[in-house]
Amino acid sequence: MSNWSEGYVNDINYTYGYYSELNPNNLVMPFLMAGLEPPQVANACELGFGQGVSVNIHAAAGPARWFATDFNPAQAAFAESLSRTAGTDDGKINLSEQGFSEFCARDDLPQFDYIGLHGIWSWISDDNRRIITDFLRRKLKVGGVLYISYNTLPGWSAHAPIRHLLLEHEKNLASGGQSRHQNIAQSLEFGENVFKYSPKLTETAPFIQQRFQSLKDYDSNYIAHEYLNQDWHPMYFSQIAQWLSDAKLSYACSTHYLEDFADCLFDSEQQAFFNGISRPDFAQTVKDYMLNRQFRRDYWVKGPLPLNAVRLKESRDKLRVMLLTDPEHFSPTLTYIHSTDLREDLYRPVLDYLKDRKIHSVADIERGLAGKMDTSPLFAVLALMAAKGDIVLCQSEEEIKRRRACCRRFNLDVLNQGAQGRVNYLASPVSGGGFGTNNIEKLFMLAHHQKTDSGKWAQFAWENLQKAGLKVLKDGVTLESDADNLAEIERQAEEFKARRLPMFQQLQCLDA
């Protein structure tokens, strides 16, 4: 590794993932459930954008102007290519190939309403943390929001021996004549033997061996970035709070409302104990112990502004939502640590009202359901449905129109890459965010865009998969014969037409 990487893995690129938590629109419902005023986000920043899939989708689909950096030149080049294709490289997005010390010292950056740190904090040095904390203090506006995710203690305590063993094997026995992927495969094989011949360890800590075995299911890119960086510092919530206090930040809420919904976290005795903790920050530390959490995704705010009852209702009423789930396939079950069910007298009227799958304001829903249900918990029901992915928060009609062309360019580029494309997400002008897909679905959508008869979508997809040298995986087994592959693709095509195509059309990810 070269000096510019500062001990971070740079010879194997990060995965091509999309992270919805980085979408500023997604903070609105959790903030309003916490009784806080969400900011209007005009300028946003992402530190460490990886391959740039998230920042490009959010620049294409949402209203904010984005500034972002990643010090890996290969990743920055890929992100720039996405920007050019979508046509967002005209001031809507500003991508840099700079380390934190260089980027955070720039004098041409605006004050930010929102700054995102996904998968960065746990893998950088204290020097870089100080640089970032100072940046947050100087460049995040009053009322601005930080999104931060990080590996959490005590949940990661049992993983430390695995990480140490893999890193030490990398340092001592990795071959310079082999690729990183080959060395990782050998590290996993070596580690398996270490634990095989360490019965005293595995008897007292069986979770270590279970976790190690599960690594075989992970991509080597993930293993490299998660386990083989020079710096790796999982933290307790209280430690994060101490770091961020220097930037005048206060904890607001989780990015996902289910992670703050007690019925999904604790049984009744645990809830009673947890509710007796009077200090909110200390309660978060205790929560991590009670749940043995390994990862947190949190919002922090510089100057939280609690809303009174009148302002809170006004803010909630003007929001617009749309049902994504087919009502026939709706599940009332909420699952995080524990499972619980929404009451039918609460969710059924909401589901019936939204079953046209059009956009409705919360105020209109409340008026429409007056007399049919107790509407006082309406917003909480909508927040829970949003956290489950059943409904989506929608942008204004004006913003949807402004973002439609840019999203269309981005999405067509993704579809035209076909089965060999590395990005499996489409941008939605409706939500301002991205939605996942897969290689076969992308080929169905490409056939749809090209006006291919829907009865021939499966054949179109199979021919393109063959050109790419790919076959279908079913129940973990690769299908070998043409007939078996085509039969499975035909099954998937029918399911896609019935359930997934209408959703992508609702989200305006592709033409109607």
Side-chain angles (χ1 to χ4, degrees):
M1 290 179 288
S2 55
N3 289 333
W4 60 262
S5 71
E6 299 182 1
Y8 195 84
V9 169
N10 69 76
D11 59 345
I12 184 169
N13 285 336
Y14 200 67
T15 55
Y16 295 82
Y18 167 77
Y19 306 101
S20 62
E21 300 90 346
L22 287 162
N23 180 1
N25 292 341
N26 287 351
L27 67 84
V28 175
M29 277 195 161
F31 260 62
L32 292 178
M33 283 305 298
L36 300 175
E37 182 172 34
Q40 296 293 318
V41 179
N43 291 306
C45 175
E46 183 179 351
L47 297 175
F49 58 66
Q51 298 290 352
V53 177
S54 298
V55 70
N56 271 287
I57 286 177
H58 297 145
R65 183 173 59 145
W66 282 86
F67 295 78
T69 191
D70 194 283
F71 66 9
N72 187 315
Q75 294 175 178
F78 183 80
E80 289 279 7
S81 71
L82 293 179
S83 174
R84 287 192 297 272
T85 299
T88 52
D89 56 346
D90 58 354
K92 186 72 164 43
I93 185 170
N94 299 266
L95 301 176
S96 304
E97 177 248 318
Q98 295 174 317
F100 297 137
S101 60
E102 185 179 2
F103 180 84
C104 294
R106 285 170 49 175
D107 60 6
D108 62 334
L109 300 175
Q111 294 294 113
F112 293 110
D113 307 287
Y114 178 88
I115 295 176
L117 286 168
H118 182 83
I120 292 297
W121 188 264
S122 299
W123 294 272
I124 58 176
S125 67
D126 279 351
D127 285 343
N128 272 317
R129 289 192 188 92
R130 280 186 280 270
I131 289 168
I132 290 173
T133 303
D134 177 68
F135 181 75
L136 294 171
R137 181 185 59 79
R138 292 183 294 106
K139 301 303 292 185
L140 187 63
K141 285 183 179 179
V142 172
V145 172
L146 166 70
Y147 158 64
I148 183 171
S149 63
Y150 59 97
N151 283 353
T152 309
L153 292 172
W156 265 90
S157 300
H159 299 254
I162 297 174
R163 188 259 178 182
H164 184 76
L165 182 62
L166 292 179
L167 186 60
E168 287 301 303
H169 182 275
E170 172 84 6
K171 290 178 180 177
N172 290 284
L173 297 180
S175 170
Q178 296 186 144
S179 70
R180 173 80 75 167
H181 298 281
Q182 291 170 317
N183 282 327
I184 288 173
Q186 290 186 357
S187 293
L188 292 175
E189 182 180 358
F190 179 83
E192 188 170 22
N193 285 326
V194 169
F195 292 120
K196 176 182 177 181
Y197 297 118
S198 306
K200 291 188 179 297
L201 172 63
T202 56
E203 285 171 9
T204 57
F207 179 78
I208 292 178
Q209 193 167 25
Q210 295 168 14
R211 173 62 181 174
F212 191 86
Q213 290 296 322
S214 72
L215 289 182
K216 295 179 179 180
D217 298 327
Y218 285 88
D219 182 88
S220 58
N221 293 44
Y222 167 84
I223 294 172
H225 287 271
E226 190 78 27
Y227 286 87
L228 300 181
N229 292 305
Q230 176 179 296
D231 290 293
W232 182 72
H233 305 282
M235 290 188 182
Y236 295 99
F237 176 88
S238 58
Q239 293 174 302
I240 293 289
Q242 186 173 359
W243 275 97
L244 297 181
S245 66
D246 290 341
K248 302 182 179 180
L249 292 172
S250 303
Y251 175 73
C253 56
S254 170
T255 63
H256 291 257
Y257 180 53
L258 286 182
E259 295 179 3
D260 285 334
F261 186 59
D263 287 354
C264 286
L265 304 178
F266 306 124
D267 61 29
S268 57
E269 290 186 3
Q270 287 175 311
Q271 286 190 43
F273 172 76
F274 182 76
N275 292 337
I277 302 171
S278 60
R279 296 292 296 272
D281 279 7
F282 182 51
Q284 291 301 314
T285 294
V286 174
K287 178 194 284 190
D288 292 342
Y289 273 79
M290 294 173 70
L291 302 178
N292 195 34
R293 290 175 93 176
Q294 297 176 11
F295 195 66
R296 288 190 67 114
R297 302 169 293 183
D298 295 336
Y299 291 129
W300 294 70
V301 60
K302 183 181 283 188
L305 182 60
L307 295 172
N308 62 37
V310 174
R311 289 288 306 280
L312 185 60
K313 189 174 189 313
E314 288 175 351
S315 298
R316 291 175 173 181
D317 282 353
K318 67 183 181 183
L319 299 184
R320 294 159 21 103
V321 299
M322 179 175 68
L323 182 70
L324 292 182
T325 300
D326 184 337
E328 294 183 6
H329 296 97
F330 176 82
S331 169
T333 302
L334 307 166
T335 301
Y336 185 59
I337 302 299
H338 294 282
S339 292
T340 187
D341 286 343
L342 278 168
R343 285 166 36 193
E344 186 164 8
D345 63 316
L346 294 179
Y347 80 78
R348 180 59 63 187
V350 176
L351 202 61
D352 288 343
Y353 190 88
L354 296 176
K355 66 183 178 181
D356 61 2
R357 300 175 78 168
K358 295 180 180 179
I359 298 174
H360 299 274
S361 73
V362 173
D364 285 345
I365 298 171
E366 183 174 12
R367 283 190 289 268
L369 295 180
K372 299 178 181 178
M373 65 173 283
D374 175 9
T375 58
S376 58
L378 172 62
F379 192 78
V381 173
L382 293 173
L384 289 167
M385 291 175 69
K388 285 176 72 249
D390 294 314
I391 67 172
V392 64
L393 186 64
C394 302
Q395 302 190 115
S396 68
E397 288 301 319
E398 295 77 13
E399 193 61 38
I400 292 172
K401 291 176 183 177
R402 278 195 292 268
R403 307 319 310 162
R404 191 176 289 140
C406 201
C407 289
R408 186 176 187 274
R409 289 192 296 270
F410 179 92
N411 293 341
L412 283 179
D413 182 62
V414 170
L415 299 184
N416 283 325
Q417 299 298 318
Q420 294 179 307
R422 290 171 285 188
V423 177
N424 285 326
Y425 302 89
L426 301 180
S428 167
V430 173
S431 74
F435 289 82
T437 181
N438 60 46
N439 283 335
I440 294 178
E441 286 189 346
K442 288 192 295 184
L443 293 171
F444 294 155
M445 284 185 270
L446 184 60
H448 170 79
H449 173 72
Q450 295 178 356
K451 310 297 183 185
T452 302
D453 183 273
S454 62
K456 298 179 180 178
W457 287 4
Q459 185 63 43
F460 176 89
W462 175 227
E463 289 173 358
N464 278 273
L465 288 173
Q466 286 178 303
K467 291 176 185 176
L470 300 174
K471 294 180 179 179
V472 177
L473 197 68
K474 181 180 181 182
D475 299 327
V477 178
T478 300
L479 302 179
E480 296 297 338
S481 72
D482 288 4
D484 286 345
N485 274 274
L486 189 56
E488 174 59 18
I489 295 172
E490 286 174 344
R491 184 196 67 78
Q492 292 187 28
E494 293 307 309
E495 184 174 311
F496 175 79
K497 294 173 199 173
R499 299 183 63 178
R500 297 280 286 170
L501 178 61
M503 183 194 78
F504 284 118
Q505 289 175 327
Q506 277 182 268
L507 293 166
Q508 300 185 30
C509 292
L510 70 163
D511 300 331

